[in-house]
Amino acid sequence: MSRALVVGVWVCLVTLLSSYGAVMWVTGARAEREEEAYLEGIEYKKLQPLTVPMIKDGQIQGYVVARLVFTADARTLRNLTVTPAIFVVDEAFRQIYTNEKIDFEKLKKYDLEALTTAIRDSVNERLSAEIVQDILVEDLNYVARKDVGS
């Protein structure tokens, strides 16, 4: 009987120690993974398509549809409490909507570099930091009002 009791205590002790070792091993591995540095660098954030109405003489003439992407430092984006995407969309809308140089009845080349630079600088000024590094134009189209399906 005493032999069975000693074996039972021994089995319980081995089970407890192995469970404790397994838990310590798993939590230690998890802590090491969390400490590993993230891949740092530039992160690209694709924005939802932006539709801007073009108004002339009090009537909508058509719509500019733009799809933009912005780049920012990955570490900076992780540490922000608010995403810069909201500010980029707002500033892009303002820049396109209020720009008097864009006349789609008389199409000509437009300085996209000036537009993207103005958006980037305005967003960084509003955020009080150099967060957005670049604005990329994925797509920029004009749809005349007559071509819009009802």
Side-chain angles (χ1 to χ4, degrees):
M1 169 116 167
S2 67
R3 183 180 253 187
L5 185 63
V6 170
V7 170
V9 170
W10 180 76
V11 168
C12 288
L13 187 62
V14 169
T15 304
L16 284 172
L17 289 175
S18 64
S19 297
Y20 177 77
V23 167
M24 294 307 289
W25 179 68
V26 168
T27 57
R30 219 181 265 152
E32 288 176 12
R33 268 188 259 135
E34 290 174 1
E35 291 177 6
E36 288 179 9
Y38 288 102
L39 291 176
E40 301 300 331
I42 295 177
E43 192 168 325
Y44 294 85
K45 292 289 187 176
K46 186 184 268 192
L47 303 172
Q48 294 292 322
L50 175 68
T51 305
V52 182
M54 300 308 293
I55 300 173
K56 187 175 181 183
D57 299 327
Q59 294 193 357
I60 295 178
Q61 302 299 313
Y63 300 91
V64 173
V65 180
R67 198 170 308 145
L68 303 174
V69 177
F70 74 91
T71 63
D73 180 59
R75 178 180 291 182
T76 305
L77 284 178
R78 277 196 316 276
N79 294 332
L80 290 175
T81 56
V82 63
T83 177
I86 300 165
F87 295 97
V88 173
V89 169
D90 178 64
E91 196 57 43
F93 188 95
R94 290 172 190 251
Q95 292 287 332
I96 294 170
Y97 186 77
T98 60
N99 196 335
E100 298 292 329
K101 295 178 184 176
I102 301 175
D103 184 8
F104 287 96
E105 290 180 0
K106 300 173 188 161
L107 288 177
K108 62 180 180 179
K109 286 187 178 181
Y110 181 72
D111 188 6
L112 289 178
E113 184 66 31
L115 175 67
T116 57
T117 302
I119 293 170
R120 181 196 65 211
D121 293 345
S122 296
V123 168
N124 286 335
E125 183 179 322
R126 288 171 72 180
L127 295 173
S128 301
E130 293 292 321
I131 295 171
V132 176
Q133 294 179 356
D134 201 6
I135 304 288
L136 307 171
V137 178
E138 185 177 330
D139 194 14
L140 185 66
N141 289 311
Y142 176 75
V143 179
R145 183 176 179 213
K146 63 181 178 173
D147 295 335
V148 176
S150 47

